[in-house]
Amino acid sequence: MISERIHFEQVDSTNTVALSYARSDLDHGIVIVADEQTAGRGRVGRTWTSPKGNLYCSILLPPFDKGSVDPRLSLLAANAVYETVADFINDRHGLSTKWPNDILVDGKKVSGILLEACDKQGKIFCIVGIGINIVAETLERVPPEIADHVTALHLVGDPSITRDEVLESLVKHIDAWYARYKKEGASAICSFWNQHCNSIGRTIEIPSRNVTGVSKGINERGQLIVETESGEIAIDSDEIRFTSLDA
Ligand code: BTN
């Protein structure tokens, strides 16, 4: 699926640049990579601090007809990132997927994924933006309140890993997962994600809904199922937190 890589030294956000390449049905399979971002975006309006050294890239996916965007594409990307990180660390036991689309090593975030969509020419274009922390020193730039919750590949794997090696691996895994998705549908994506999920059986809070319950992993539609006192609920993208009982 990925046919072209375009490199920039500095951009505001690779997601914004990737979106600017979406003009017709033929525009997809492009990966935008930047050495640094001046306005990197994270989920729920957060900033993604993006100094030189880490991987910042965005993939322009083939467009969808209106109403047919598949939200499981961010889980597809999470699986591909999981396998990418596994290629570079010594021990994959500490590696997990975290709802909605983070990758953790030993409970600390090493990568985040931001799926964004835009309506153009009657089609919906989706961008999968991926940030992978590589260089330990870049963590000094993250906000202090998250500093204890993030890690980088150089801290958990070989300290000589380069950004381009990580990108090579990521492109290979995205291509493989996308081919599998086209052939078999999304069920393989969901079951791989569940096998590696860090929350199944644990008590979680969903602050946006003021609800606590036990995570049961995702269903075939890519929603997180949570067993609460008043029954099961399915959530689409809300953030979760582990309760103090289950930290
Ligand atoms: C998250 O909040 O966990 C998602 C972070 C996504 C960051 C990546 S870096 C490349 C791409 N460009 C952006 O502006 N954001 C994504």
Side-chain angles (χ1 to χ4, degrees):
M1 191 264 291
I2 296 175
S3 52
E4 193 179 347
R5 291 170 213 190
I6 303 175
H7 169 258
F8 292 87
E9 284 180 6
Q10 189 189 69
V11 296
D12 49 1
S13 158
T14 54
N15 270 23
T16 307
V17 176
L19 208 49
S20 73
Y21 280 79
R23 281 168 301 246
S24 81
D25 271 18
L26 299 175
D27 295 321
H28 56 81
I30 297 167
V31 187
I32 304 296
V33 191
D35 296 342
E36 60 185 328
Q37 300 184 115
T38 54
R41 293 198 288 276
R43 278 175 40 78
V44 290
R46 290 191 285 248
T47 298
W48 188 259
T49 311
S50 310
K52 270 189 191 163
N54 297 331
L55 175 62
Y56 312 108
C57 69
S58 299
I59 302 155
L60 179 61
L61 298 172
F64 291 86
D65 290 326
K66 281 205 168 117
S68 67
V69 175
D70 189 342
R72 293 168 297 191
L73 288 167
S74 62
L75 301 170
L76 181 156
N79 290 352
V81 173
Y82 177 100
E83 294 198 301
T84 300
V85 174
D87 283 346
F88 295 103
I89 61 174
N90 310 322
D91 173 8
R92 62 160 73 193
H93 281 107
L95 185 56
S96 60
T97 54
K98 177 180 181 249
W99 177 264
N101 41 27
D102 293 344
I103 301 300
L104 311 184
V105 180
D106 298 332
K108 295 185 174 191
K109 180 161 167 167
V110 71
S111 169
I113 296 164
L114 181 65
L115 186 72
E116 292 185 307
C118 160
D119 189 339
K120 273 192 182 180
Q121 316 281 343
K123 293 274 181 183
I124 309 294
F125 285 90
C126 289
I127 310 295
V128 182
I130 299 170
I132 302 182
N133 299 333
I134 300 173
V135 177
E137 289 72 35
T138 62
L139 303 182
E140 291 163 11
R141 300 273 302 275
V142 304
E145 62 277 14
I146 61 165
D148 286 345
H149 306 286
V150 291
T151 191
L153 288 181
H154 286 180
L155 290 174
V156 290
D158 177 355
S160 66
I161 300 159
T162 66
R163 193 271 315 266
D164 287 345
E165 285 168 340
V166 179
L167 177 64
E168 275 312 306
S169 165
L170 179 65
V171 165
K172 178 185 80 183
H173 290 301
I174 292 268
D175 268 338
W177 273 105
Y178 195 79
R180 198 165 171 193
Y181 169 66
K182 281 286 148 196
K183 197 163 164 227
E184 300 169 30
S187 67
I189 294 176
C190 296
S191 66
F192 183 95
W193 193 94
N194 270 336
Q195 267 167 35
H196 302 288
C197 165
N198 73 341
S199 71
I200 296 177
R202 295 175 69 183
T203 303
I204 56 170
E205 285 169 24
I206 307 157
S208 56
R209 298 181 181 219
N210 209 11
V211 162
T212 299
V214 176
S215 161
K216 304 190 82 178
I218 55 172
N219 63 15
E220 296 254 311
R221 295 167 66 186
Q223 299 167 303
L224 186 73
I225 304 300
V226 185
E227 176 94 62
T228 72
E229 274 189 346
S230 42
E232 275 188 6
I233 58 167
I235 62 174
D236 289 312
S237 62
D238 305 60
E239 302 276 303
I240 64 167
R241 275 209 301 250
F242 293 107
T243 65
S244 48
L245 293 173
D246 213 340

